[in-house]
Amino acid sequence: MGKRVAIVGFGQTYQRSSRKDVNGVELINEAVVTALADAELTIRDIDAIVIGNMDHFEGINYVDMWSAEGSGAVMKPVIKVCTGGTTGTTVAMCAYYHVASGMFDRVLAIGWEKNSESDTTGAIITAFHPVWERPTLGGAVAGLAIEASKYMHNYGATERDGARVAVRERLHALNNPYAHLHQEWMKGIPPEKLVDLIVGSEQNAMLAYPLRMSDMCPRTDGAAAVIFAAEGKAEKIAPVPAWVHATANRHNFVYAGDVDMDRNTTIAEASKAVFKKAGVKEPLKEIDVCELYLPYSYAGLKWIEDIGFCAYGEGPRLLWDGVTDMDGELPINPSGGVMSSNAIGATALIRVGEAALQVMGRAGARQVKGGDVNLAFATGFGGCYWGDIMLLGKKKPA
Amino acid sequence: MSKIAIVGVGQTACTRSKIDTFEEMVFEAASRALADAGAEVGDIDNVVTVSNDFWDGRTISSMAVQEAAGSWGKDVSTVEGDGTFGALYGMMRILSGSFDTTLVVSHMKGSESIMNLITNAMFDPIYQRGLGIDATSAAALQARSYMTMSGATEEDFARVSVKNHGNAKSNPYAQLPMKITVGDVMASRKIAEPLKLLDCSPIGDGAAAMVLSNKKGLKRFKKDPVWIKGVAHCSDAFTLGYRDLAKSRALKEAAKKAYKMAGIKNPLKDLDVAEVYDAYSYMELMWYEGLGFAPEGKGYELIRENATGMKGELPVNPSGGVISSHPVFVAGMLRLIEATLQVRGEAGKRQVKGAKTALAHGINGPCGQAHCVYVVGA
Amino acid sequence: MTDWKDKVENMVYTGRIKVPYLWNVGKTGSRFLVAIRDKKEIWGTRCPGCKRVYVPPVKSCGECFVPTEEWVKVSDKGVLESFTVVHYSHEMQPRKAPLAYGLIKLDGADGAILHLIDDTDFAKLKTGMKVKAVFAEQREGTIADIKHFTPA
């Protein structure tokens, strides 16, 4: 049996549309220095580093090597992992396995992105098969639009349901100083009214039916770093370490045509594996808060069904009942989520870091349940059907 | 340490250019590793694939090989780096207690892109790329720094090329088995001085896979385990001008840790065979020093005395090394596979008699910025 | 069984990934490039820990992991620590082969800067020789504003 592992520190840069004042290595350094300060550690306390990026998103090959001076990897073990949109959670999981293996006591996980420096859709198209798919299919919006319209067809969901998710994310982001989008005009307006305004707005351009501008995530520059530590060390570093109770991933994508567009099977199977490991029987009741990688609004309806928070088709009801709002039974994305900040390579790691903050009771204005969070659930998701799950908890796992 | 065993290994032949797709190559290597282990894909708990988006011309390059690696429905991750780093992550995942067995697979089709452009992209976009620097021209700068520091000559580099290309003649998987002389190397076309054509490895196509297991998982497999006795990795700084290019402090650090885990005190004596990442001839001499086979600046003595030849004190690269076959990202895993075969006594005509303890070495980044060192034994 | 494989015509699909990138140099690097562009001066940053002077400048020292905020003007002359003459061509190279690269330790800096060596007989290059920067006539704020180095 491996070692128990906890998150003991988290640092993120302010997520912004463009960071012209720093280059990539300097941006990475900013997040690392912030995370070290958060855990009151120095780089000398770090035994190994894990970093990732999507090469064609930043035009950077061998990021682990290139960033060594900024990441703190000089004369340290460093490894690069990359799984697309889920790179952040993949990095987190890799850091977890580093520590759980017993080989390293304190490991730094780093994710970053400078979306302002490249053509994101151009880069996403390169994720598809060069011979069979790139000429005819690819990019993020179209695939998600198909998923959304299928969901609407299967369960009778409407554009208003999608907008309700967007409203939740943007309202939550107002509590998070690190979030990229702060739509101050929304303040004080009830969610239902906001939904009407969004759905009825002529300025809210249709991108690919049913997805409008308001349904999508922004493009963001930002970086994040999370520090994982082994039992015996973690308790000394953090007053309340966020223990990793379970983690799992699934990835079943080779050709787009094979993907089940009706259900998100990878998120579903990875969630099932995590709940089994952690002994979670009733996810909605037992989990206190979620940080989900929801890159667009309708994911906030459908994927929560796949995770098992409610039955198929019941996602919209949870949203309208306020169950997933800040004061609901299961607050989702108190940070404002991906729809409020999407520095892609950092995004999934921020989900893990934010979930850890909730467990530690240190999430400030976005803290839920007065800090009384026992279990927090974080996901990563790539448009190429890569589903990562990490379940964090206040109690040290058995 | 004897917690993780290598129970199956598989490799495709390395060639200049394969018609097979990534999927087909990965399937071949993975199937061979499973067959070698006497196992089926159902015996594998989780998968680590190794690939690189720039080389593959695909973002999330690992996606193409999911089915071929048998990872459908399984936990899977992807390392972008040399295969030795992928195997290390595969090993950590078992040690964590989450899995008993891991399949690690790595692929490369160097033939489908242009090495100089891909490796140019590993340099800093603001200060270095525009100068046109690439892996080979950077290596040439390192080779000269090393010559200045050590007094090693171009003939010494040539001796490495002669030895390894000759060894490759006994390796059916090698791309460039050749009987050549020091004169041939010296007379070969200038590439980036002081490096000549026969000082440089051929970037090619190939795939490799291995099955790792803990003690509990062993009963699923028929093959006798080869244990990972020690392993460590370490990176130097990135910027060439701010590293001491002639010395490899990162390799020294990684070797020190791996030797400590494995109980190796005198590597030259305690090891029976070593497989090192000689992407360019001079590197092998530098790595002798980093790995503690020779004092700093004295690596050339070993090659002059033929101490690292097949009949020498410590045969290095009986497989023919990277200089004879260089599928990037796969090449380090091939070193680990060869070390495994040597310890098993299954290395055929290139078998080092009675090999019990073997070293395998992989590198990452320009001029061997990062290193991963394994010691394996029966 | 394999008959058809021997006879089949192998198809090749030629791709070319074109994703436009720009890379922000950052304030630290920008100050360095602007000084070269406007004044033909080369500046580095000094680490308060190990006292190394980095050229090109860094915002933090990779060895000591502390911010480096002190600016130091270094010479445009230095020592050739290593060099290579490259005999092949590819499209990222700014000049046709043969071309030469050097690692140049500028007087006043602690590490070496990578650059082109030119305007000389390559056969006469030697490690340890003195070289100096040749600035481009038209300077645009990139590393190419130093055209190359040449024996001093």
Side-chain angles (χ1 to χ4, degrees):
Chain A
M1 191 53 210
K3 285 205 170 164
R4 293 178 188 87
V5 181
I7 292 173
V8 296
F10 173 45
Q12 61 181 316
T13 65
Y14 289 99
Q15 310 292 312
R16 296 295 180 255
S17 61
S18 176
R19 283 293 307 273
K20 288 191 171 55
D21 59 319
V22 286
N23 64 33
V25 176
E26 292 164 352
L27 185 75
I28 288 166
N29 185 258
E30 215 174 288
V32 170
V33 168
T34 311
L36 288 169
D38 185 59
E40 297 179 22
L41 295 173
T42 75
I43 195 69
R44 278 162 205 83
D45 299 315
I46 299 298
D47 302 317
I49 294 175
V50 184
I51 189 168
N53 77 324
M54 289 144 288
D55 304 3
H56 293 114
F57 280 56
E58 299 88 12
I60 297 295
N61 198 3
Y62 295 76
V63 68
D64 49 339
M65 299 290 99
W66 167 75
S67 64
E69 279 95 323
S71 68
V74 175
M75 290 309 285
K76 280 196 201 303
V78 60
I79 199 168
K80 173 188 177 189
V81 288
C82 168
T83 59
T86 44
T87 291
T89 30
T90 295
V91 163
M93 290 162 84
C94 186
Y96 162 79
Y97 286 118
H98 269 66
V99 179
S101 74
M103 294 179 79
F104 305 95
D105 283 336
R106 288 163 299 253
V107 175
L108 184 60
I110 305 167
W112 71 288
E113 183 80 48
K114 290 196 91 180
N115 265 316
S116 70
E117 299 188 352
S118 76
D119 173 345
T120 308
T121 289
I124 288 174
I125 288 169
T126 66
F128 292 83
H129 194 286
V131 178
W132 309 120
E133 293 169 346
R134 255 178 242 177
T136 52
L137 177 148
V141 181
L144 296 176
I146 293 170
E147 188 190 32
S149 61
K150 265 204 135 178
Y151 180 77
M152 291 165 83
H153 173 81
N154 289 347
Y155 300 102
T158 66
E159 286 185 65
R160 293 187 85 251
D161 297 332
R164 180 63 180 83
V165 178
V167 163
R168 179 193 70 205
E169 304 289 76
R170 269 72 190 242
L171 284 175
H172 288 185
L174 294 171
N175 298 325
N176 180 5
Y178 294 97
H180 172 184
L181 295 186
H182 288 114
Q183 303 198 337
E184 301 287 345
W185 67 272
M186 287 186 165
K187 245 181 203 166
I189 306 173
E192 272 152 66
K193 184 81 194 300
L194 286 169
V195 166
D196 292 337
L197 288 171
I198 285 175
V199 173
S201 166
E202 284 180 13
Q203 291 141 313
N204 192 7
M206 183 68 77
L207 300 172
Y209 179 82
L211 305 185
R212 296 168 188 268
M213 279 300 281
S214 62
D215 291 304
M216 300 307 298
C217 52
R219 298 169 62 222
T220 306
D221 284 3
V226 174
I227 300 170
F228 290 78
E231 58 181 323
K233 311 279 183 205
E235 300 89 332
K236 292 181 189 124
I237 300 168
V240 185
W243 295 97
V244 179
H245 281 224
T247 184
N249 103 300
R250 292 292 182 273
H251 175 52
N252 292 340
F253 184 104
V254 177
Y255 299 100
D258 293 342
V259 171
D260 179 353
M261 290 298 250
D262 281 329
R263 299 305 327 175
N264 188 328
T265 53
T266 55
I267 287 272
E269 285 169 31
S271 301
K272 211 180 287 175
V274 158
F275 292 147
K276 194 178 162 202
K277 270 189 221 170
V280 172
K281 302 221 161 48
E282 294 178 277
L284 183 65
K285 280 197 184 137
E286 294 175 56
I287 289 166
D288 298 306
V289 60
C290 287
E291 276 290 337
L292 307 181
Y293 193 123
L294 305 175
Y296 82 117
S297 59
Y298 292 79
L301 304 169
K302 182 176 126 177
W303 299 359
I304 60 173
E305 300 167 6
D306 292 314
I307 293 167
F309 290 131
C310 59
Y312 291 171
E314 285 185 5
R317 186 184 56 77
L318 248 59
L319 264 291
W320 288 107
D321 288 353
V323 173
T324 67
D325 293 338
M326 285 298 281
D327 55 356
E329 185 183 0
L330 179 67
I332 292 179
N333 293 343
S335 67
V338 183
M339 288 184 64
S340 304
S341 326
N342 192 20
I344 303 177
T347 299
L349 186 62
I350 293 173
R351 304 282 76 70
V352 173
E354 286 284 337
L357 283 185
Q358 292 289 346
V359 172
M360 294 168 160
R362 297 175 46 213
R366 58 195 188 280
Q367 180 70 49
V368 300
K369 304 196 171 167
D372 188 20
V373 170
N374 287 312
L375 279 181
F377 183 89
T379 68
F381 178 78
C384 301
Y385 284 77
W386 201 300
D388 290 348
I389 311 285
M390 191 172 271
L391 183 66
L392 303 175
K394 198 170 276 181
K395 281 198 200 105
K396 195 194 252 194
Chain B
M1 183 174 125
S2 288
K3 288 179 180 167
I4 304 295
I6 299 165
V7 293
V9 295
Q11 59 187 306
T12 70
C14 293
T15 58
R16 182 188 180 87
S17 172
K18 282 186 194 296
I19 287 158
D20 306 1
T21 62
F22 298 137
E23 297 97 304
E24 289 161 355
M25 283 165 53
V26 163
F27 186 76
E28 183 181 340
S31 302
R32 285 184 183 184
L34 288 169
D36 180 57
E40 290 177 5
V41 72
D43 296 316
I44 301 300
D45 294 345
N46 85 115
V47 176
V48 173
T49 64
V50 175
S51 60
N52 173 272
D53 293 3
F54 264 79
W55 280 102
D56 281 13
R58 181 172 187 169
T59 290
I60 330 178
S61 47
S62 51
M63 283 196 310
V65 300
Q66 292 309 314
E67 293 178 8
S71 59
W72 196 277
K74 293 192 176 82
D75 216 295
V76 57
S77 195
T78 298
V79 170
E80 280 206 44
D82 179 62
T84 46
F85 292 78
L88 175 56
Y89 185 30
M91 175 179 162
M92 287 178 199
R93 287 163 69 95
I94 298 176
L95 287 171
S96 74
S98 296
F99 310 101
D100 293 324
T101 63
T102 308
L103 174 72
V104 189
V105 54
S106 177
H107 71 267
M108 171 57 54
K109 291 196 82 176
S111 68
E112 295 191 344
S113 54
I114 298 167
M115 181 280 266
N116 307 99
L117 298 183
I118 302 286
T119 62
N120 174 257
M122 96 179 133
F123 289 92
D124 183 77
I126 296 163
Y127 300 118
Q128 299 167 336
R129 271 190 218 178
L131 302 171
I133 191 89
D134 60 32
T136 298
S137 44
L141 291 169
Q142 184 174 41
R144 187 171 316 269
S145 292
Y146 175 68
M147 287 168 75
T148 308
M149 183 277 287
S150 66
T153 64
E154 293 184 43
E155 284 79 5
D156 292 325
F157 299 166
R159 287 182 184 102
V160 172
S161 176
V162 169
K163 167 177 76 75
N164 291 351
H165 282 112
N167 288 352
K169 285 169 69 74
S170 307
N171 182 359
Y173 299 106
Q175 182 181 334
L176 280 184
M178 285 192 289
K179 187 173 183 324
I180 49 173
T181 65
V182 167
D184 293 334
V185 181
M186 294 299 290
S188 65
R189 180 159 55 87
K190 284 178 182 173
I191 299 290
E193 297 174 39
L195 302 179
K196 295 161 287 292
L197 182 67
L198 292 174
D199 288 310
C200 302
S201 55
I203 303 297
D205 295 359
M210 53 203 318
V211 180
L212 304 175
S213 174
N214 60 12
K215 282 182 182 150
K216 195 175 151 210
L218 278 185
K219 59 178 178 291
R220 303 180 200 173
F221 307 107
K222 296 191 179 75
K223 207 76 179 188
D224 286 340
V226 171
W227 296 98
I228 296 174
K229 303 277 191 184
V231 57
H233 63 309
C234 186
S235 171
D236 204 331
F238 171 72
T239 310
L240 296 182
Y242 283 85
R243 273 162 61 184
D244 186 344
L245 276 187
K247 299 172 188 174
S248 184
R249 57 175 182 162
L251 177 55
K252 273 185 202 143
E253 178 69 17
K256 189 175 85 184
K257 278 197 208 164
Y259 291 160
K260 195 177 166 203
M261 282 168 84
I264 301 283
K265 301 223 161 50
N266 179 346
L268 199 59
K269 286 211 164 57
D270 298 349
L271 296 170
D272 300 313
V273 53
E275 282 280 328
V276 307
Y277 206 110
D278 54 330
Y280 300 91
S281 56
Y282 78 90
M283 281 186 171
E284 184 166 309
L285 303 183
M286 279 191 69
W287 307 156
Y288 289 169
E289 298 167 20
L291 289 165
F293 302 165
E296 205 156 81
K298 300 290 181 197
Y300 62 84
E301 288 180 357
L302 292 181
I303 195 80
R304 285 184 196 169
E305 293 157 6
N306 207 17
T308 53
M310 283 305 285
K311 292 193 176 125
E313 188 177 2
L314 176 63
V316 174
N317 286 334
S319 67
V322 180
I323 203 166
S324 305
S325 331
H326 194 184
V328 188
F329 287 79
V330 179
M333 188 182 287
L334 291 176
R335 310 279 72 71
L336 190 50
I337 287 175
E338 179 69 15
T340 303
L341 293 174
Q342 289 285 350
V343 168
R344 283 182 185 170
E346 290 181 356
K349 281 195 280 182
R350 60 194 189 280
Q351 179 66 47
V352 174
K353 261 192 199 148
K356 292 266 187 310
T357 307
L359 177 138
H361 162 237
I363 66 175
N364 247 359
C367 300
Q369 181 184 336
H371 298 262
C372 190
V373 177
Y374 285 82
V375 177
V376 299
Chain C
M1 275 298 280
T2 57
D3 294 350
W4 67 269
K5 282 187 181 166
D6 299 331
K7 288 176 195 149
V8 74
E9 182 188 355
N10 294 316
M11 308 306 287
V12 176
Y13 190 89
T14 305
R16 192 173 172 86
I17 292 179
K18 284 185 184 169
V19 179
Y21 300 112
L22 51 88
W23 290 284
N24 285 303
V25 173
K27 285 188 190 294
T28 304
S30 294
R31 180 167 165 172
F32 165 77
L33 291 177
V34 166
I36 293 173
R37 185 190 65 188
D38 297 351
K39 296 183 178 165
K40 298 193 202 173
E41 289 176 359
I42 303 174
W43 289 74
T45 51
R46 192 197 310 270
C47 170
C50 63
K51 308 293 180 196
R52 273 192 194 87
V53 174
Y54 286 94
V55 180
V58 291
K59 196 173 174 228
S60 61
C61 172
E63 303 287 333
C64 307
F65 216 68
V66 292
T68 51
E69 282 164 2
E70 184 193 348
W71 284 86
V72 180
K73 190 180 162 190
V74 302
S75 174
D76 59 359
K77 297 187 185 66
V79 175
L80 188 61
E81 292 210 317
S82 184
F83 66 93
T84 178
V85 181
V86 175
H87 293 271
Y88 56 84
S89 296
H90 61 73
E91 64 181 86
M92 281 303 287
Q93 290 167 347
R95 292 170 206 183
K96 283 228 157 70
L99 74 168
Y101 293 105
L103 285 169
I104 302 114
K105 188 167 161 313
L106 294 170
D107 299 338
D110 285 287
I113 184 169
L114 174 74
H115 220 298
L116 297 157
I117 309 289
D118 213 337
D119 282 350
T120 183
D121 178 0
F122 290 155
K124 289 185 180 153
L125 293 178
K126 273 202 168 69
T127 55
M129 77 194 296
K130 287 292 275 184
V131 292
K132 64 173 184 206
V134 176
F135 294 93
E137 293 281 308
Q138 293 283 323
R139 294 185 299 280
E140 292 165 351
T142 72
I143 195 68
D145 286 356
I146 299 175
K147 216 165 126 192
H148 52 249
F149 283 79
T150 200

